[in-house]
Amino acid sequence: MENINALLATLIRRARAYSRLLWVRVMLMGLTAFVAMGTSQMVEAWMPDELAQTVTGKSADRLLQLIASAMLAVTIFSITVMVSVFQSSSAQWTPRVHRLIITDKTTQNTMAVFIGAYVYALLGIILRELGIYGDARAFVLFWMTVVVLVVIVVYLIRWVLHLQGFGQLLNTIRQVETVTQAKFNDRIATPCLGAQPLPETIPQDVRALPAWKTGYIAQVLPEALNAVAENHDVQLYLTAAIGAYVYAPDALVYVQGDVDDWDKLSQQIAEAIEISDVRNYEQDPGFGLKVMGEVGSKALSPGINDAGTALDVITRIGRILQTYEDEGTAEPDTLLERLYVPALDAADLVEAGFAGVARDGAGSFEVQECLQLTLGKLVTHSDAVMSDAARDFAAEALARGLATLTFEPDRERLIAAAAPCVRQAQKDAQ
């Protein structure tokens, strides 16, 4: 039963990943067009003759031709808009943000509907030319086409409204924050991906499984790994956190227990851990924080010089980090007892979000003040791990700001904005 549950959980994770791909949604809508045509043909056979003959085939032909011609033009236009937004977002903010825009649900669903409607119209025209849908019985085809037109109009209106903010800075930052917060909440709900936290000391009686390729830990299927461990009666210790960069010669997983078929175990572990050349948002809230920090850092560049965006980013990052909970002390509802996974590191999360803005905004009093105020709230966090990480980073940021700012009143105001413990640490360092 546990293996079945692990299989279902793994399939659900993979299905979610595929559902974010544009071509998958387009293909599903295309298949829906075929199903709609087949369904209308079956329903047509049950329609009374007097009702079926109330609509002529020419009426359906005009609608099908309208959809085919309009959807081709609209689809090309929409693709042009998408490419333009992707390129401008990468150039203006950060190349990492466009991968999130690509997975925008409204955009993907709209493109899928447009292409699906185009396929539906082409299929209807072909079936009409082949004589499968005759002139005498086109009632269902006509009204099915009317339904398709209604769906097109609804999604066209949604698309036009979506374009008003598509790719704009505020919406992009909000989108990154929403996704990052969602992934953060997922980790809080299932600490350490549902596994046990990795201990500080790995047992001695283990065998190392080296990384099979060099890259980032992009995704881990914990249920599958735990099932593999149960099947081989071993314990698995994953040494690298999601988002970490690993090198092929280095040990990635330690296996505790006697293994009869090492090659099979190694292959099954490799299938449950994805190593990629890029990071993604799926299980990596630290990556979302880093992308937000990059947006704020880019806004402080001389070519843009937008301190307001940096301030907005700092407060959003602080809002996300406020929800942090120490995974080392939390327990998931369903514990994967044979798997050990590194817990989220509070210091790494703070560094990922604030490091770029703190460095590039060292000479801006407004940025440094906002940074100290935000970190000051995190210093009072109920979780001691996050509190310590925020205090250490705030002290470092304060030292950097004081070393850069030359106007004495700004220096005094910056010190006043810092948390009391940070101010005391600054005095002790003098």
Side-chain angles (χ1 to χ4, degrees), residues 33-45 56-58 60-61 64 120 123-142 144-145:
F34 280 88
V35 173
M37 278 296 176
T39 302
S40 63
Q41 177 71 359
M42 291 187 294
V43 173
E44 188 73 56
T56 63
K58 291 184 179 180
D61 289 340
L64 292 172
Y120 170 86
L123 184 60
I125 293 172
I126 292 173
L127 294 179
R128 285 281 295 151
E129 293 295 331
L130 293 176
I132 297 177
Y133 280 101
D135 290 335
R137 305 185 67 86
F139 180 84
V140 176
L141 176 62
F142 174 82
M144 181 72 75
T145 306

Side-chain angles (χ1 to χ4, degrees), residues 23 45 77 102 145 166 187 200 205 219 292 366 372 424:
W23 68 268
F77 166 76
I102 289 176
T145 306
F166 188 44
R187 284 298 296 255
E200 295 182 2
D205 57 334
Q219 188 174 17
M292 294 179 68
E366 292 79 7
Q372 288 299 327
Q424 184 61 44

Side-chain angles (χ1 to χ4, degrees), residues 204-315:
Q204 296 296 324
D205 57 334
V206 295
R207 181 176 177 181
L209 173 63
W212 43 95
K213 61 187 295 188
T214 298
Y216 293 99
I217 304 295
Q219 188 174 17
V220 174
L221 303 177
E223 298 86 3
L225 283 175
N226 192 71
V228 169
E230 289 181 345
N231 293 335
H232 291 269
D233 193 22
V234 296
Q235 304 284 332
L236 299 180
Y237 296 83
L238 178 62
T239 60
I242 297 178
Y245 195 83
V246 297
Y247 292 87
D250 296 341
L252 177 58
V253 179
Y254 286 105
V255 182
Q256 183 183 34
D258 297 330
V259 181
D260 296 330
D261 191 341
W262 179 259
D263 293 337
K264 182 179 180 180
L265 174 64
S266 301
Q267 180 181 359
Q268 291 176 341
I269 291 176
E271 291 174 352
I273 301 176
E274 179 186 353
I275 300 179
S276 175
D277 59 335
V278 294
R279 298 172 68 176
N280 61 52
Y281 299 88
E282 182 59 32
Q283 294 178 318
D284 190 1
F287 180 60
L289 293 172
K290 184 176 181 60
V291 171
M292 294 179 68
E294 288 179 352
V295 173
S297 180
K298 188 68 174 289
L300 293 172
S301 62
I304 300 177
N305 194 23
D306 181 13
T309 296
L311 303 183
D312 184 36
V313 167
I314 291 172
T315 55

